[in-house]
Amino acid sequence: MSAFSLEPEQTAWCAELRALAAERLRPLAGKGEPGRVNRPLVAELGRLGLLARLFSSGALDLCLMRESLARLCTEAETALALQGLGAHPVHAHGTPAQREHWLPRVADGSAVAAFALSEPGAGSDAAALSLTARPDGPGRWRLTGEKCWISNAPEADLYTVFARTTPAAGARGVTAFLVPADRPGLTGAALEMLSPHPIGSLDFDAVPVTADDVLGEPDRGFRVAMGTLNLFRPSVGAFAVGMAQAALDATLAHTARRDAFGGKLSDLQSVAHRVAEMALRTDAARLMVYAAATAYDTGAPDVPKRSAMAKLLATETAQYVVDAAVQLHGARALRRGHLLEHLYREVRAPRVYEGASEVQRGIIAKELYARPEAR
């Protein structure tokens, strides 16, 4: 892939997003309750036009949005991303009626979306889903089973739900359904997690769905899921890069002014070299994220590999950078309310969700052996 750099318009837009995050979004995020959907924050994202842009932008624009917001307000970044993840299957595979009913509400922030793929026994192994869609007449099913670790559950207004319609068929027997939250038999509970954004479980007790609720085609839901993840995995990397950059910025400021051993902390070679390593890894991850997003936007054949590489490198990098930043700040970084204390809790989850790091390595290896010409 050819080298590239951001256009001046893109750089200016990123600066504008960071300003909006600091001035308009961070105050609303501060008023939210950890582990709960912050509807005023979602609504403000809608008023700013950022949610609507989820459905008109390419992968690179999505990455720029997520990275820019994450540098100043991780809560706003996550609220934006979850709206996109939950509603993208509706945008890409929904019927005209589904799109007309739901997408304007997601775009203006009046409806909260969620992507319901993971289960207690099928987190990383998405083809092993056990939520069952039992036939209930022509073009009708009943959903029975459980979903777990679902972001925005149980408070979302609509769920993209993946259920098994053909037993023992692996990935070929999964169907994607658009399930409104008010369907009878659908209940859920919030889960207390390390990550501060809302995550919960969902219970399906013979929840009725029909052919009008199918996203795409019956038994082709795995394709819907993987298409969505191929788009969003590089932008998970962008989220990670944004957090890494925030941690790096804080560390540069702290080490430059902190008195230590007769000088500044930055005068110590061990500190300066550690900060240099943090910057090196952050920039390398950013370039890989942008390359993967550009590959998606240009229809390159190796998108699954590039998406996996970008997500893997960026999330592992962010973990390193945030941890190093905490070490260089010392005990103050562990105090509740400190930026790095917040980032330390935020940074761990992206190495697990939308495919754990081990899954990304498996995807990369599979693509390398399947497409030797793409090495």
Side-chain angles (χ1 to χ4, degrees), residues 40-57:
L41 178 61
V42 175
E44 185 66 13
L45 288 167
R47 278 189 290 271
L48 293 173
L50 299 182
L51 297 180
R53 191 151 184 164
L54 288 168
F55 307 120
S56 61
S57 299

Side-chain angles (χ1 to χ4, degrees), residues 120 131 143-148 150 153-154 159 179 181 183-189 200-207:
L131 179 72
L143 303 181
T144 300
E146 182 182 0
K147 293 290 183 181
C148 200
I150 306 303
Y159 297 93
V179 183
R183 284 289 167 85
L186 176 57
T187 58
S201 61
L202 296 171
D203 289 310
F204 296 79
D205 184 8
V207 175

Side-chain angles (χ1 to χ4, degrees), residues 142-165:
R142 294 274 182 172
L143 303 181
T144 300
E146 182 182 0
K147 293 290 183 181
C148 200
W149 305 297
I150 306 303
S151 295
N152 281 345
E155 299 178 70
D157 300 299
L158 69 150
Y159 297 93
T160 295
V161 177
F162 298 88
R164 181 156 304 286
T165 40

Side-chain angles (χ1 to χ4, degrees), residues 6 8 60 85 122-123 128 179 215 218 223 241 259 272 314 354:
L6 296 181
L60 181 57
L85 185 65
V179 183
L215 292 168
R223 185 179 304 170
V241 167
D259 293 324
E354 294 185 38

Side-chain angles (χ1 to χ4, degrees), residues 95-282:
T95 65
Q98 290 169 334
R99 290 163 55 90
E100 181 179 349
H101 180 76
W102 286 110
L103 293 185
R105 297 175 60 191
V106 172
D108 68 17
S110 61
V112 172
F115 185 81
L117 178 64
S118 295
E119 297 179 4
S124 296
D125 186 5
L129 298 180
S130 61
L131 179 72
T132 303
R134 292 189 173 88
D136 189 38
R140 306 181 71 86
W141 298 266
R142 294 274 182 172
L143 303 181
T144 300
E146 182 182 0
K147 293 290 183 181
C148 200
W149 305 297
I150 306 303
S151 295
N152 281 345
E155 299 178 70
D157 300 299
L158 69 150
Y159 297 93
T160 295
V161 177
F162 298 88
R164 181 156 304 286
T165 40
T166 300
R172 292 186 175 88
V174 172
T175 299
F177 294 95
L178 195 168
V179 183
D182 59 1
R183 284 289 167 85
L186 176 57
T187 58
L191 298 172
E192 293 187 12
M193 307 287 286
L194 177 67
S195 180
H197 77 267
I199 302 175
S201 61
L202 296 171
D203 289 310
F204 296 79
D205 184 8
V207 175
V209 290
T210 71
D212 292 336
D213 299 314
V214 172
L215 292 168
E217 303 175 50
D219 288 343
R220 297 293 185 270
F222 193 75
R223 185 179 304 170
V224 175
M226 293 303 104
T228 302
L229 293 176
N230 281 338
L231 169 61
F232 276 84
R233 274 175 178 154
S235 73
V236 173
F239 172 38
V241 167
M243 288 190 287
Q245 188 65 54
L248 175 60
D249 292 342
T251 303
L252 285 167
H254 172 71
T255 55
R257 66 172 180 261
R258 176 74 157 85
D259 293 324
F261 305 105
K264 298 300 180 184
L265 199 56
S266 58
D267 295 333
L268 299 175
Q269 187 181 68
S270 60
V271 171
H273 283 188
R274 188 75 175 270
V275 173
E277 183 70 17
M278 293 162 66
L280 171 69
R281 295 194 191 192
T282 299

Side-chain angles (χ1 to χ4, degrees), residues 301 305 367-375:
K305 182 190 75 173
E367 291 292 315
L368 287 172
Y369 285 111
R371 300 176 55 84
E373 73 281 359
R375 293 173 190 168

